[in-house]
Amino acid sequence: MTQTTNRVPVSKKLVSINALSALIAHACNFAILLWGNQYLLSHVSPAEMDLLPVVMGVVAFSPLMTTALTAGLGRYVVEAYSQSDDEKITRLVSSIVPVYLLVAMVLVAIMTVFCTLAPKLLNVASDHIADVRFMLVIVFLGMTLRLLATPFSVGLYVCQKQVLQNVILMGGALISAASMLWLMLGIGPQVKWFIVAQFAGTVFNVMATLIVSCRLLPSLRFRVDWIDFGSLKGMFAFNSWTLVRQTSASVRAGSIPFLLNAFAAPGQATAFYIGSLPDRQIKEVSSKIFSPLETPMIAMFATGNQTGLANAYLRGNRLMLWISMLAATPLMVFASETIDLYTHGTIPDAALVLFITMLILPIQMANGMLGPLVHAHARPDALAKTMAVTDFITLLVSGVLLLSTGLGAKAVVIAIAVGIVIFHPLLWWKLGRTLAEVTFTKWAWESLIPGMVPALACGSVLICLKWTMSPSSWFELGTMTFMGMIVYFVAIERSLRPADRTDLKNVFTRLLPSLQHDKKLDTVVTKPQ
């Protein structure tokens, strides 16, 4: 059933369609990423391949200038939009544009300094310095372009047009794929072409999103006489804590490749990059699938619908566990086999990284709806403090283990696991339950336990299959995984809550009449004359 909060619809159907489109769009991007990494592993030297994690480490810092500023803008534009206050939207956009221009100039200055000092800051062979500088310039240009377009690109988010947004993303993915194929197969395999292809897709995404967004929400425009920095007070408070949170996450994610590059043996940065790739992708796709819930959750909070917020949090956690563990369970059981097949046995250390990241994933996903919940409550300060403590300790332990043990990527992933196992149950889970106003027992019975039952059942079957015969080819691995997935989906069916069954019934109720209608049309068309 669809509820309406002024101009912001709170619709399960709309959220589901948006989530499905996000999954398809991300699948396109992930396929390109998988192919590009495997092709480079087979065709470039280990020294050149080590450049990619370092440059991607710089990319990890890009949200400091984009997401941190966008978060507050998107939330307050949604609030104004739900109140039908188009004048406030224009005033917010007009006031934030000068801030974005200032930050863009800071980005250009940072790019200049970083590229100049790259030989001193990075452990890179002299014959690769030019390539590193070239890739860094491309990365910074992409960051700057996204930043400048941000004030006028929130229309798709505000109007809940994620399907259209994901169509644009798929178009960008196709452009990236075409560019990568042309550059790598036409000119030759080089790591820098991977970055250039990603930049080509970014340019398309930014320009298309900008045009469509402004057409959907004409009030996203700049007027000099409407600049009012006083209107940004609440947004700056929101952004400041979002910046703290994003700084914490970016420093942790971005510093690890640099630490491995500086203090570990050659190839360890690549081992961590490849081994943690599934973890990053699972979290990213889960975030994109559930991001359509942010806008209606903000509307729920604005109208005092705390019951709706609690239900969205508990149910979202359960669904996020089901989706994430669908991929994580076979990857955890067959970690060594997957890495051997993907890298042709050249990066064995990545297997332990993959295993541990998949093992600790459910601890995070059981509270996966914390981000949208914090966003709805406009409480980034609470999450920022929690994240800062966790990331600081994790990074500190990573450095100590890296310098004292010489284990390289293994030391880093062990430190990450320790931080998650200790701090998520103590701090993160408590924060989520507090904002949702639910007890630990209710959270466990509604989110954690039903969310983990399919993974435990599937994992048990896969372990038994692995003991019987360890897979040595993609076909054998896929066959065993398919058998485990049958058990997984049966367990999900047994774990469905009444509300889940009601929604599925509604889906089939809407779908079956349509199918029957199509069959009648087919009968009419094929009937002999």
Side-chain angles (χ1 to χ4, degrees), residues 100-144:
Y100 278 63
L101 287 173
L102 178 62
V103 176
M105 289 188 286
V106 172
L107 263 180
V108 172
I110 293 174
M111 176 187 70
T112 304
V113 173
F114 198 84
C115 291
T116 302
L117 300 178
K120 297 179 180 179
L121 296 175
L122 304 176
N123 183 20
V124 177
S126 57
D127 54 334
H128 291 308
I129 291 297
D131 287 342
V132 169
R133 283 175 170 160
F134 174 77
M135 288 188 285
L136 288 173
V137 169
I138 294 296
V139 167
F140 275 104
L141 284 177
M143 291 164 58
T144 305

Side-chain angles (χ1 to χ4, degrees), residues 36-60:
N37 280 314
Q38 189 174 39
Y39 187 80
L40 288 172
L41 283 168
S42 304
H43 291 83
V44 302
S45 66
E48 185 176 354
M49 189 64 195
D50 268 349
L51 301 179
L52 186 58
V54 174
V55 175
M56 296 305 290
V58 176
V59 175

Side-chain angles (χ1 to χ4, degrees), residues 84-203:
S84 302
D85 193 346
D86 291 331
E87 180 179 326
K88 183 177 179 180
I89 294 175
T90 302
R91 194 173 301 280
L92 286 170
V93 172
S94 300
S95 303
I96 200 68
V97 165
V99 179
Y100 278 63
L101 287 173
L102 178 62
V103 176
M105 289 188 286
V106 172
L107 263 180
V108 172
I110 293 174
M111 176 187 70
T112 304
V113 173
F114 198 84
C115 291
T116 302
L117 300 178
K120 297 179 180 179
L121 296 175
L122 304 176
N123 183 20
V124 177
S126 57
D127 54 334
H128 291 308
I129 291 297
D131 287 342
V132 169
R133 283 175 170 160
F134 174 77
M135 288 188 285
L136 288 173
V137 169
I138 294 296
V139 167
F140 275 104
L141 284 177
M143 291 164 58
T144 305
L145 182 63
R146 285 194 298 269
L147 178 67
L148 292 175
T150 293
F152 309 99
S153 302
V154 296
L156 290 159
Y157 169 77
V158 173
C159 298
Q160 297 191 72
K161 299 295 183 181
Q162 278 87 355
V163 173
L164 188 54
Q165 176 71 77
N166 291 315
V167 169
I168 293 173
L169 291 176
M170 283 187 276
L174 291 175
I175 289 176
S176 293
S179 302
M180 196 180 301
L181 288 171
W182 177 66
L183 290 168
M184 290 193 179
L185 301 181
I187 301 177
Q190 296 182 55
V191 170
K192 64 183 178 183
W193 299 144
F194 185 90
I195 302 298
V196 172
Q198 295 295 314
F199 177 72
T202 297
V203 172

